[in-house]
Coordinates of all heavy atoms in Angstrom, one line a residue:
M212 N 0.8 -1.2 0.0 CA 0.0 0.0 0.0 C 0.9 1.2 0.0 O 1.7 1.4 0.9 CB -0.9 0.0 1.3 CG -1.8 1.1 1.4 SD -2.9 0.9 2.7 CE -2.6 2.4 3.6
K213 N 0.7 2.1 -1.0 CA 1.5 3.3 -1.2 C 0.6 4.4 -0.7 O -0.5 4.5 -0.9 CB 1.8 3.5 -2.6 CG 2.9 2.5 -3.1 CD 3.5 2.9 -4.4 CE 4.3 4.2 -4.1 NZ 5.6 4.2 -4.5
L214 N 1.3 5.3 0.1 CA 0.7 6.5 0.5 C 0.7 7.6 -0.5 O 1.7 7.7 -1.2 CB 1.3 7.0 1.8 CG 1.2 6.1 3.0 CD1 2.0 6.7 4.2 CD2 -0.2 6.0 3.5
S215 N -0.3 8.4 -0.6 CA -0.3 9.5 -1.5 C 0.6 10.7 -0.9 O 1.0 10.6 0.2 CB -1.7 10.1 -1.7 OG -2.2 10.7 -0.5
A216 N 0.9 11.6 -1.8 CA 1.8 12.7 -1.4 C 1.1 13.5 -0.3 O 1.8 14.0 0.7 CB 2.1 13.6 -2.6
D217 N -0.2 13.7 -0.4 CA -0.9 14.5 0.7 C -0.9 13.7 2.0 O -0.8 14.4 3.0 CB -2.4 14.7 0.3 CG -2.5 15.7 -0.9 OD1 -1.5 16.3 -1.2 OD2 -3.6 15.6 -1.5
A218 N -1.0 12.4 2.0 CA -0.9 11.7 3.3 C 0.5 11.8 3.9 O 0.6 11.9 5.1 CB -1.3 10.2 3.0
K219 N 1.5 11.7 3.1 CA 2.9 11.8 3.5 C 3.1 13.2 4.1 O 3.8 13.3 5.2 CB 3.9 11.6 2.4 CG 3.9 10.1 2.0 CD 4.9 9.9 0.8 CE 4.8 8.5 0.3 NZ 5.7 8.4 -0.9
L220 N 2.6 14.3 3.5 CA 2.7 15.6 4.0 C 1.9 15.7 5.3 O 2.4 16.5 6.2 CB 2.3 16.6 3.0 CG 3.2 16.8 1.8 CD1 2.6 17.8 0.8 CD2 4.5 17.4 2.3
G221 N 0.8 15.1 5.4 CA 0.1 15.1 6.7 C 0.8 14.5 7.8 O 0.8 15.0 8.9
I222 N 1.4 13.4 7.6 CA 2.2 12.7 8.6 C 3.4 13.5 9.0 O 3.7 13.7 10.2 CB 2.7 11.3 8.1 CG1 1.5 10.4 8.0 CG2 3.7 10.7 9.0 CD1 1.8 9.1 7.2
L223 N 4.1 14.2 8.0 CA 5.2 15.0 8.3 C 4.7 16.3 9.1 O 5.4 16.6 10.1 CB 5.9 15.5 7.0 CG 7.0 16.6 7.1 CD1 8.2 15.9 7.8 CD2 7.3 17.2 5.8
T224 N 3.6 16.8 8.8 CA 3.0 17.9 9.6 C 2.7 17.5 11.1 O 3.0 18.2 12.0 CB 1.8 18.4 8.9 OG1 2.1 18.8 7.6 CG2 1.2 19.6 9.7
A225 N 2.2 16.3 11.2 CA 1.9 15.8 12.6 C 3.2 15.6 13.4 O 3.2 16.0 14.6 CB 1.1 14.5 12.5
I226 N 4.2 15.1 12.7 CA 5.5 14.9 13.4 C 6.1 16.3 13.8 O 6.6 16.5 14.9 CB 6.5 14.1 12.5 CG1 6.0 12.7 12.4 CG2 7.9 14.2 13.1 CD1 6.7 11.9 11.4
C227 N 6.0 17.3 12.9 CA 6.5 18.6 13.2 C 5.8 19.3 14.3 O 6.3 20.0 15.1 CB 6.5 19.5 11.9 SG 7.8 19.0 10.7
I228 N 4.4 19.1 14.4 CA 3.7 19.7 15.5 C 4.1 19.1 16.8 O 4.2 19.7 17.8 CB 2.2 19.6 15.1 CG1 1.8 20.5 14.0 CG2 1.3 19.9 16.4 CD1 0.3 20.3 13.6
L229 N 4.3 17.8 16.8 CA 4.7 17.1 18.0 C 6.1 17.6 18.5 O 6.4 17.8 19.6 CB 4.7 15.6 17.9 CG 3.4 14.9 17.8 CD1 3.5 13.4 17.4 CD2 2.7 15.1 19.1
V230 N 7.0 17.8 17.5 CA 8.4 18.3 17.8 C 8.2 19.7 18.4 O 8.9 20.0 19.4 CB 9.3 18.3 16.6 CG1 10.5 19.0 16.8 CG2 9.6 16.8 16.2
N231 N 7.4 20.5 17.8 CA 7.1 21.8 18.3 C 6.6 21.8 19.7 O 7.1 22.5 20.6 CB 6.1 22.6 17.5 CG 6.7 23.6 16.6 OD1 7.8 24.0 16.7 ND2 5.9 24.2 15.7
A232 N 5.7 21.0 20.0 CA 5.1 20.9 21.3 C 6.1 20.4 22.4 O 6.2 21.0 23.5 CB 3.9 19.9 21.3
V233 N 6.9 19.4 22.0 CA 8.0 18.9 22.9 C 9.0 20.0 23.2 O 9.4 20.2 24.3 CB 8.6 17.7 22.4 CG1 9.8 17.3 23.2 CG2 7.6 16.5 22.5
A234 N 9.4 20.7 22.1 CA 10.4 21.7 22.2 C 9.9 22.9 23.1 O 10.7 23.4 23.9 CB 10.9 22.2 20.9
F235 N 8.7 23.3 22.8 CA 8.2 24.5 23.6 C 7.9 24.1 25.0 O 8.2 24.9 25.9 CB 6.9 25.0 23.0 CG 7.1 25.7 21.7 CD1 6.1 25.6 20.7 CD2 8.2 26.4 21.4 CE1 6.3 26.3 19.5 CE2 8.4 27.1 20.2 CZ 7.4 27.0 19.3
K236 N 7.4 22.9 25.3 CA 7.0 22.6 26.7 C 8.2 22.2 27.5 O 8.4 22.6 28.7 CB 6.0 21.5 26.7 CG 5.5 21.2 28.1 CD 4.4 20.2 28.1 CE 3.9 20.0 29.5 NZ 2.8 19.1 29.5
N237 N 9.0 21.3 27.0 CA 10.1 20.6 27.8 C 11.5 21.3 27.7 O 12.3 21.2 28.6 CB 10.2 19.2 27.4 CG 8.9 18.4 27.8 OD1 8.2 18.7 28.7 ND2 8.7 17.4 27.0
I238 N 11.7 21.9 26.6 CA 13.1 22.5 26.4 C 13.1 24.0 26.6 O 13.9 24.5 27.4 CB 13.6 22.2 25.0 CG1 13.7 20.6 24.8 CG2 14.9 22.9 24.7 CD1 14.0 20.2 23.4
L239 N 12.1 24.7 26.0 CA 12.1 26.2 26.1 C 11.3 26.7 27.2 O 11.4 27.8 27.7 CB 11.6 26.8 24.8 CG 12.5 26.4 23.5 CD1 11.8 27.0 22.3 CD2 13.9 27.0 23.7
H240 N 10.3 25.9 27.7 CA 9.4 26.2 28.8 C 8.6 27.6 28.5 O 8.6 28.5 29.3 CB 10.2 26.4 30.1 CG 10.9 25.2 30.5 ND1 10.3 24.0 30.9 CD2 12.2 24.9 30.6 CE1 11.2 23.1 31.1 NE2 12.4 23.6 31.0
V241 N 8.1 27.6 27.3 CA 7.3 28.8 26.9 C 5.9 28.3 26.4 O 5.7 27.1 26.1 CB 7.9 29.6 25.8 CG1 9.2 30.2 26.3 CG2 8.2 28.8 24.5
Q242 N 4.9 29.2 26.4 CA 3.6 28.9 25.9 C 3.4 29.7 24.6 O 3.1 30.9 24.7 CB 2.5 29.2 26.9 CG 1.1 28.9 26.4 CD 0.9 27.4 26.1 OE1 1.4 26.5 26.8 NE2 0.1 27.2 25.1
P243 N 3.6 29.2 23.4 CA 3.4 30.0 22.2 C 2.0 30.3 21.9 O 1.1 29.6 22.4 CB 4.0 29.1 21.1 CG 3.8 27.7 21.6 CD 3.9 27.8 23.1
D244 N 1.7 31.2 21.1 CA 0.4 31.5 20.7 C -0.1 30.5 19.6 O 0.6 29.7 19.1 CB 0.2 33.0 20.2 CG 1.1 33.3 19.0 OD1 2.0 32.5 18.7 OD2 0.8 34.3 18.4
F245 N -1.4 30.6 19.3 CA -2.0 29.6 18.4 C -1.4 29.6 17.0 O -1.2 28.6 16.4 CB -3.5 29.9 18.3 CG -4.3 29.0 17.5 CD1 -4.5 27.7 17.9 CD2 -4.7 29.3 16.2 CE1 -5.2 26.8 17.1 CE2 -5.4 28.4 15.4 CZ -5.7 27.2 15.9
L246 N -1.2 30.8 16.5 CA -0.7 30.9 15.1 C 0.7 30.3 14.9 O 1.0 29.6 14.0 CB -0.7 32.3 14.6 CG -2.0 32.9 14.4 CD1 -1.9 34.4 14.0 CD2 -2.7 32.2 13.3
T247 N 1.6 30.5 15.9 CA 3.0 30.0 15.7 C 3.1 28.6 16.1 O 3.9 27.9 15.6 CB 4.0 30.9 16.6 OG1 3.5 30.9 17.9 CG2 4.0 32.3 16.0
S248 N 2.3 28.1 17.1 CA 2.4 26.7 17.4 C 2.0 25.8 16.4 O 2.3 24.6 16.3 CB 1.7 26.5 18.8 OG 0.3 26.7 18.6
Y249 N 1.0 26.2 15.5 CA 0.6 25.4 14.4 C 1.0 25.9 13.1 O 0.3 25.8 12.1 CB -1.0 25.3 14.4 CG -1.5 24.6 15.7 CD1 -2.2 25.2 16.7 CD2 -1.3 23.2 15.8 CE1 -2.6 24.6 17.8 CE2 -1.7 22.5 16.9 CZ -2.4 23.2 17.9 OH -2.9 22.5 19.0
G250 N 2.2 26.5 13.0 CA 2.7 27.1 11.7 C 2.8 26.0 10.6 O 2.5 26.4 9.5
S251 N 3.3 24.8 11.0 CA 3.4 23.8 9.9 C 2.1 23.4 9.3 O 1.9 23.1 8.2 CB 4.2 22.7 10.4 OG 3.6 22.1 11.6
L252 N 1.0 23.4 10.2 CA -0.3 23.1 9.7 C -0.8 24.1 8.7 O -1.5 23.8 7.8 CB -1.2 23.0 10.9 CG -2.7 22.6 10.6 CD1 -2.8 21.2 10.0 CD2 -3.6 22.7 11.8
W253 N -0.5 25.4 9.0 CA -0.9 26.5 8.1 C -0.3 26.3 6.7 O -0.9 26.5 5.7 CB -0.6 27.8 8.6 CG -1.2 28.1 10.0 CD1 -0.6 28.4 11.1 CD2 -2.6 28.0 10.3 NE1 -1.5 28.5 12.1 CE2 -2.8 28.3 11.6 CE3 -3.8 27.8 9.5 CZ2 -4.0 28.3 12.3 CZ3 -5.0 27.8 10.2 CH2 -5.1 28.1 11.5
V254 N 1.0 25.8 6.6 CA 1.7 25.6 5.4 C 1.0 24.5 4.6 O 0.8 24.5 3.4 CB 3.2 25.3 5.6 CG1 3.9 25.0 4.3 CG2 3.9 26.5 6.2
L255 N 0.7 23.4 5.4 CA 0.0 22.3 4.7 C -1.4 22.7 4.2 O -1.8 22.3 3.1 CB -0.2 21.1 5.7 CG -0.9 19.9 5.1 CD1 -0.1 19.2 4.1 CD2 -1.3 18.9 6.3
L256 N -2.1 23.5 5.0 CA -3.5 23.9 4.5 C -3.3 24.8 3.2 O -4.2 24.7 2.3 CB -4.2 24.6 5.6 CG -4.7 23.8 6.7 CD1 -5.3 24.6 7.8 CD2 -5.7 22.8 6.3
I257 N -2.4 25.7 3.2 CA -2.2 26.5 2.0 C -1.8 25.6 0.8 O -2.3 25.8 -0.3 CB -1.0 27.5 2.3 CG1 -1.5 28.6 3.3 CG2 -0.6 28.2 1.0 CD1 -0.5 29.5 3.8
Y258 N -1.0 24.6 1.0 CA -0.6 23.7 -0.1 C -1.9 22.9 -0.6 O -2.1 22.8 -1.8 CB 0.4 22.7 0.3 CG 0.7 21.6 -0.7 CD1 1.4 21.9 -1.8 CD2 0.2 20.3 -0.5 CE1 1.6 20.9 -2.8 CE2 0.4 19.3 -1.4 CZ 1.1 19.6 -2.6 OH 1.3 18.7 -3.5
V259 N -2.7 22.4 0.3 CA -3.8 21.6 -0.1 C -4.9 22.4 -0.8 O -5.5 22.0 -1.8 CB -4.5 20.9 1.2 CG1 -5.8 20.3 0.9 CG2 -3.5 19.8 1.7
I260 N -5.1 23.6 -0.3 CA -6.1 24.5 -1.0 C -5.6 25.0 -2.3 O -6.3 25.1 -3.3 CB -6.4 25.7 0.0 CG1 -7.1 25.2 1.2 CG2 -7.1 26.8 -0.8 CD1 -7.3 26.3 2.3
S261 N -4.3 25.3 -2.4 CA -3.8 25.9 -3.7 C -3.3 24.9 -4.7 O -3.0 25.3 -5.8 CB -2.7 26.9 -3.3 OG -1.6 26.2 -2.8
K262 N -3.2 23.6 -4.4 CA -2.6 22.7 -5.4 C -3.5 22.5 -6.6 O -3.0 22.2 -7.7 CB -2.3 21.3 -4.7 CG -3.5 20.5 -4.4 CD -3.1 19.2 -3.9 CE -4.3 18.4 -3.7 NZ -4.0 17.0 -3.3
D263 N -4.8 22.7 -6.5 CA -5.7 22.6 -7.7 C -5.5 23.8 -8.6 O -5.8 23.6 -9.8 CB -7.1 22.5 -7.2 CG -7.5 21.3 -6.5 OD1 -6.7 20.3 -6.7 OD2 -8.4 21.3 -5.6
Y264 N -5.0 24.9 -8.1 CA -4.8 26.1 -9.0 C -3.4 26.2 -9.5 O -3.1 27.1 -10.3 CB -5.1 27.3 -8.2 CG -6.5 27.3 -7.6 CD1 -6.7 27.1 -6.3 CD2 -7.6 27.5 -8.5 CE1 -8.0 27.1 -5.8 CE2 -8.9 27.4 -8.0 CZ -9.1 27.2 -6.6 OH -10.4 27.2 -6.2
M265 N -2.4 25.3 -9.1 CA -1.1 25.3 -9.6 C -0.9 24.5 -10.9 O -1.7 23.6 -11.1 CB -0.1 24.7 -8.5 CG 0.1 25.5 -7.3 SD 1.4 24.8 -6.3 CE 0.5 24.3 -4.9
K266 N 0.1 24.9 -11.6 CA 0.5 24.0 -12.8 C 1.0 22.7 -12.3 O 1.5 22.6 -11.2 CB 1.5 24.8 -13.6 CG 1.0 26.1 -14.2 CD 2.0 26.7 -15.1 CE 3.2 27.2 -14.3 NZ 4.2 27.9 -15.0
E267 N 1.0 21.7 -13.2 CA 1.5 20.4 -12.8 C 3.0 20.4 -12.4 O 3.4 19.7 -11.5 CB 1.3 19.5 -14.0 CG 1.6 18.0 -13.7 CD 0.6 17.4 -12.7 OE1 -0.6 17.7 -12.7 OE2 1.1 16.5 -11.9
S268 N 3.7 21.3 -13.1 CA 5.2 21.3 -12.8 C 5.5 22.0 -11.4 O 6.5 21.7 -10.8 CB 5.9 22.1 -13.9 OG 5.4 23.4 -14.0
D269 N 4.6 22.8 -10.9 CA 4.8 23.5 -9.7 C 4.2 22.8 -8.5 O 4.3 23.2 -7.4 CB 4.1 24.9 -9.7 CG 4.8 25.8 -10.7 OD1 6.0 25.6 -11.0 OD2 4.1 26.7 -11.2
R270 N 3.6 21.6 -8.7 CA 2.8 20.9 -7.7 C 3.7 19.9 -7.0 O 3.3 18.8 -6.6 CB 1.6 20.2 -8.3 CG 0.5 20.0 -7.3 CD -0.6 19.3 -8.0 NE -1.2 20.2 -9.0 CZ -1.9 19.7 -10.0 NH1 -2.2 18.4 -10.1 NH2 -2.4 20.5 -10.9
N271 N 5.0 20.1 -6.8 CA 5.9 19.2 -6.2 C 5.8 19.2 -4.7 O 6.0 20.2 -4.1 CB 7.3 19.5 -6.6 CG 8.3 18.4 -6.4 OD1 7.9 17.4 -5.7 ND2 9.5 18.5 -6.9
P272 N 5.4 18.1 -4.1 CA 5.2 18.1 -2.6 C 6.5 18.2 -1.8 O 6.5 18.4 -0.6 CB 4.5 16.7 -2.3 CG 4.8 15.9 -3.5 CD 5.0 16.8 -4.7
I273 N 7.6 18.0 -2.5 CA 8.9 18.1 -1.8 C 9.1 19.6 -1.3 O 9.6 19.8 -0.3 CB 10.1 17.6 -2.7 CG1 10.0 16.2 -2.9 CG2 11.4 18.0 -2.1 CD1 11.0 15.6 -3.9
Y274 N 8.7 20.5 -2.1 CA 8.8 21.9 -1.7 C 8.0 22.2 -0.5 O 8.4 22.9 0.4 CB 8.4 22.9 -2.9 CG 9.2 22.7 -4.2 CD1 8.6 22.7 -5.4 CD2 10.6 22.6 -4.1 CE1 9.4 22.6 -6.5 CE2 11.3 22.4 -5.2 CZ 10.7 22.5 -6.5 OH 11.5 22.3 -7.6
C275 N 6.8 21.7 -0.5 CA 5.9 21.9 0.7 C 6.5 21.2 1.9 O 6.4 21.8 3.0 CB 4.5 21.4 0.4 SG 3.3 21.7 1.7
G276 N 7.0 20.0 1.7 CA 7.6 19.3 2.9 C 8.8 20.1 3.4 O 9.0 20.2 4.6
T277 N 9.6 20.7 2.5 CA 10.7 21.5 3.0 C 10.2 22.7 3.7 O 10.8 23.1 4.7 CB 11.6 21.9 1.8 OG1 12.0 20.7 1.0 CG2 12.8 22.6 2.1
A278 N 9.2 23.3 3.2 CA 8.6 24.5 3.8 C 8.1 24.2 5.2 O 8.3 25.0 6.2 CB 7.5 25.1 3.0
I279 N 7.5 23.0 5.4 CA 6.9 22.6 6.7 C 8.1 22.5 7.7 O 8.0 22.9 8.8 CB 6.1 21.3 6.5 CG1 4.8 21.6 5.8 CG2 5.8 20.7 7.9 CD1 4.1 20.4 5.4
I280 N 9.1 21.8 7.3 CA 10.3 21.6 8.2 C 10.9 22.9 8.5 O 11.3 23.2 9.7 CB 11.3 20.6 7.5 CG1 10.6 19.2 7.5 CG2 12.6 20.6 8.3 CD1 11.4 18.2 6.7
L281 N 11.1 23.8 7.5 CA 11.7 25.1 7.8 C 10.9 26.0 8.7 O 11.5 26.7 9.6 CB 12.0 25.8 6.5 CG 13.1 25.2 5.6 CD1 13.3 26.0 4.3 CD2 14.5 25.3 6.3
V282 N 9.6 26.0 8.5 CA 8.7 26.7 9.4 C 8.8 26.2 10.8 O 8.9 27.0 11.8 CB 7.3 26.7 8.9 CG1 6.3 27.2 10.0 CG2 7.2 27.6 7.7
T283 N 8.9 24.9 11.0 CA 9.1 24.3 12.4 C 10.4 24.7 13.0 O 10.4 25.2 14.1 CB 8.9 22.8 12.3 OG1 7.7 22.5 11.7 CG2 9.1 22.2 13.7
V284 N 11.4 24.6 12.3 CA 12.8 25.0 12.8 C 12.8 26.5 13.1 O 13.4 26.9 14.1 CB 13.9 24.5 11.8 CG1 15.2 25.0 12.2 CG2 13.9 23.0 11.7
A285 N 12.3 27.3 12.2 CA 12.4 28.7 12.4 C 11.6 29.2 13.6 O 12.0 30.1 14.3 CB 11.8 29.5 11.1
T286 N 10.4 28.5 13.8 CA 9.6 28.8 15.0 C 10.3 28.5 16.3 O 10.3 29.3 17.2 CB 8.3 28.1 14.9 OG1 7.6 28.4 13.7 CG2 7.4 28.5 16.1
I287 N 11.0 27.4 16.3 CA 11.7 27.0 17.5 C 12.9 27.9 17.8 O 13.1 28.4 18.9 CB 12.1 25.5 17.4 CG1 10.9 24.6 17.4 CG2 13.1 25.2 18.5 CD1 11.2 23.1 17.1
I288 N 13.6 28.3 16.7 CA 14.8 29.2 16.8 C 14.3 30.5 17.2 O 15.0 31.2 18.1 CB 15.6 29.2 15.5 CG1 16.3 27.9 15.3 CG2 16.6 30.4 15.5 CD1 16.9 27.8 13.9
L289 N 13.2 31.1 16.7 CA 12.8 32.4 17.1 C 12.3 32.4 18.5 O 12.6 33.4 19.2 CB 11.6 32.8 16.2 CG 12.1 33.3 14.8 CD1 10.9 33.5 13.9 CD2 13.0 34.4 14.8
Y290 N 11.7 31.4 19.0 CA 11.3 31.4 20.4 C 12.5 31.1 21.3 O 12.4 31.5 22.5 CB 10.2 30.3 20.7 CG 8.8 30.9 20.5 CD1 8.1 30.8 19.4 CD2 8.2 31.4 21.6 CE1 6.9 31.3 19.3 CE2 6.9 32.0 21.6 CZ 6.3 31.9 20.3 OH 5.0 32.4 20.2
A291 N 13.5 30.5 20.8 CA 14.7 30.2 21.7 C 15.5 31.5 21.9 O 16.1 31.7 23.0 CB 15.6 29.1 21.1
F292 N 15.6 32.4 20.9 CA 16.4 33.5 21.0 C 15.7 34.8 21.3 O 16.3 35.8 21.7 CB 17.3 33.7 19.7 CG 18.3 32.6 19.6 CD1 18.2 31.7 18.6 CD2 19.3 32.4 20.5 CE1 19.2 30.7 18.4 CE2 20.3 31.4 20.4 CZ 20.2 30.6 19.3
F293 N 14.4 34.8 21.1 CA 13.7 36.1 21.3 C 12.6 36.0 22.3 O 11.8 35.5 22.6 CB 13.2 36.7 19.9 CG 14.2 37.0 19.0 CD1 14.4 36.2 17.8 CD2 15.1 38.0 19.2 CE1 15.4 36.5 16.9 CE2 16.1 38.3 18.3 CZ 16.2 37.5 17.1

């Protein structure tokens, strides 16, 4: 059974949200607001909504996966230093 690209991105998003929660609660000891704690979910929602309007060549899920990971890392770094 092969997973679709959307399912793989959903799993990646769930993993990133869990990493965010663990980092915020156990490592940084902060309580982030709603928008930043679910930043990777917002990227996935934008991809799912806009993929029907994109050209076939621009619909690569690797770009969205990279954006999800970068948003997660950037959120953790911003809360760690600011």
Side-chain angles (χ1 to χ4, degrees):
M212 181 172 126
K213 291 195 67 128
L214 292 174
S215 67
D217 292 343
K219 290 177 184 176
L220 287 175
I222 292 170
L223 177 67
T224 303
I226 291 170
C227 286
I228 289 173
L229 287 174
V230 167
N231 252 352
V233 168
F235 287 146
K236 184 175 182 180
N237 296 330
I238 298 171
L239 300 176
H240 303 291
V241 294
Q242 179 64 35
D244 60 343
F245 181 74
L246 289 176
T247 56
S248 62
Y249 294 110
S251 55
L252 180 66
W253 301 121
V254 174
L255 178 68
L256 288 176
I257 290 170
Y258 171 76
V259 168
I260 291 170
S261 66
K262 75 175 181 174
D263 293 334
Y264 302 107
M265 289 189 247
K266 295 184 290 186
E267 186 69 34
S268 61
D269 296 335
R270 204 180 302 159
N271 195 349
I273 293 176
Y274 299 140
C275 182
T277 305
I279 289 170
I280 293 171
L281 288 176
V282 165
T283 303
V284 170
T286 304
I287 294 171
I288 289 173
L289 287 174
Y290 268 93
F292 291 115
F293 298 110

